[in-house]
Amino acid sequence: MSAVIQAGESPTQRAIRRFLRHRLAMAGLVVVVLFVLVAAFAPLLAPYDPNQTSWTAIRRAPSAAHWFGTDENGRDVLSRVIWGARASLMAGVLAVLGAVIIGVPIGLLAGMAGGWVDAVISRIADAMLSVPFLILAIALAAFLGPALENAMLAIAISASPVFVRLARGMALEAMSTDWVEAARALGNPPWRTAIVHVAPNIVPPLMVQATLSIAEAIIAEASLSFLGLGMQPPDPSWGSMLNSAQRFLTQAPWLAIFPGLAIFLVVLAFNLAGDGLRDALDPRSDRK
């Protein structure tokens, strides 16, 4: 192990070094950064207004004027894919952030309180996990109403049980350690013990789970938009673009190819980055 671990290296430096050596993870990170930049600078990168129609350019094939072709209303597909990245990435990141905000405190409460509190929270989380993630998100989005904000809330609630179980498990593990026992013996209140001594141990697995969950949330947002429960027309979303494209798969296949390829690439990139992050944060990696 000493031959692998460099002298004076902190755990953070070791994790960064491992991640940088993970080629697939770095490739995924590069793709994620590219999509984030595309979404951030969509007004500058999009060659046309994504909602601008042209009845003289309906379902035009990809060309020099329209690299990704045009849709059934004559709108530039490239511009709509670029602007659609904003909806998908925003939904993925904000929904997972909401799931973390909901799930982690509840999981810490369950793990540290124990007893009937732990039993009630665990049974509720198990009941939600027994329903497939996407089915639960669709049901909640249908109840809340068709809108991107409601779709993000539905995804956040549906994804929160995973973080509840993660935080609970890490809290139970941390509660049996010497430093937590010492903190409790010194009279630290439960909230201080949770924040200072238990929460830091959750950060590494939480980062990995959040990265992987973003990929799931992007797929969920695309699915909800495909069903008309996410981003509402005429604003572009990869899912709603696929919904419109299904009527023209034989006449204009590019309408489905490009938004579908965007979803595939960004989801694959987040999964690769998440796998690399998991390996980088695993201390057993140095033994390999």
Side-chain angles (χ1 to χ4, degrees):
M1 188 188 305
S2 59
V4 178
I5 300 177
Q6 299 178 9
E9 237 185 358
S10 67
T12 302
Q13 291 173 328
R14 286 199 299 271
I16 293 175
R17 173 172 56 82
R18 296 190 204 111
F19 187 83
L20 293 176
R21 289 169 53 189
H22 200 298
R23 295 182 180 179
L24 289 177
M26 288 302 299
L29 179 62
V30 168
V31 174
V32 168
V33 171
L34 287 176
F35 271 97
V36 170
L37 292 176
V38 166
F41 296 101
L44 300 177
L45 295 175
Y48 300 93
D49 183 337
N51 296 327
Q52 181 181 355
T53 59
S54 176
W55 304 114
T56 60
I58 294 177
R59 295 201 303 275
R60 292 281 180 87
S63 62
H66 301 279
W67 290 3
F68 287 6
T70 60
D71 65 6
E72 71 278 8
N73 293 316
R75 296 172 296 194
D76 183 65
V77 175
L78 174 59
S79 300
R80 292 182 66 78
V81 168
I82 291 174
W83 279 91
R86 278 195 165 185
S88 294
L89 291 177
M90 181 175 66
V93 173
L94 293 183
V96 171
L97 179 61
V100 170
I101 293 174
I102 295 172
V104 171
I106 296 176
L108 287 175
L109 175 63
M112 297 191 65
W116 67 269
V117 175
D118 183 20
V120 170
I121 293 175
S122 297
R123 297 296 78 77
I124 293 175
D126 291 342
M128 294 178 68
L129 287 170
S130 67
V131 182
F133 166 71
L134 189 56
I135 300 299
L136 181 59
I138 292 173
L140 290 173
F143 174 77
L144 295 172
L148 181 61
E149 296 79 7
N150 292 339
M152 289 190 291
L153 179 58
I155 295 170
I157 295 174
S158 302
S160 61
V162 175
F163 294 96
V164 170
R165 294 192 66 176
L166 176 64
R168 175 185 176 273
M170 295 302 296
L172 290 174
E173 182 178 345
M175 290 291 287
S176 61
T177 58
D178 294 338
W179 63 84
V180 172
E181 291 291 343
R184 298 174 67 185
L186 290 173
N188 285 285
W191 64 267
R192 179 177 174 81
T193 304
I195 294 175
V196 177
H197 301 284
V198 178
N201 296 292
I202 301 177
V203 173
L206 184 64
M207 292 173 60
V208 174
Q209 183 60 52
T211 304
L212 298 174
S213 295
I214 290 175
E216 296 181 358
I218 290 174
I219 295 177
E221 186 278 330
S223 302
L224 293 176
S225 294
F226 181 87
L227 296 173
L229 298 172
M231 179 70 79
Q232 297 301 297
D235 294 327
S237 168
W238 293 339
S240 60
M241 292 175 68
L242 288 175
N243 184 26
S244 301
Q246 65 178 331
R247 296 173 292 167
F248 309 103
L249 289 178
T250 56
Q251 303 98 324
W254 59 87
L255 297 181
I257 290 174
F258 293 113
L261 185 61
I263 295 173
F264 169 76
L265 288 176
V266 74
V267 170
L268 177 62
F270 271 109
N271 280 321
L272 290 176
D275 288 340
L277 189 60
R278 179 179 54 201
D279 293 341
L281 294 172
D282 187 357
R284 293 174 296 181
S285 299
D286 285 324
R287 300 191 181 99
K288 300 178 180 179

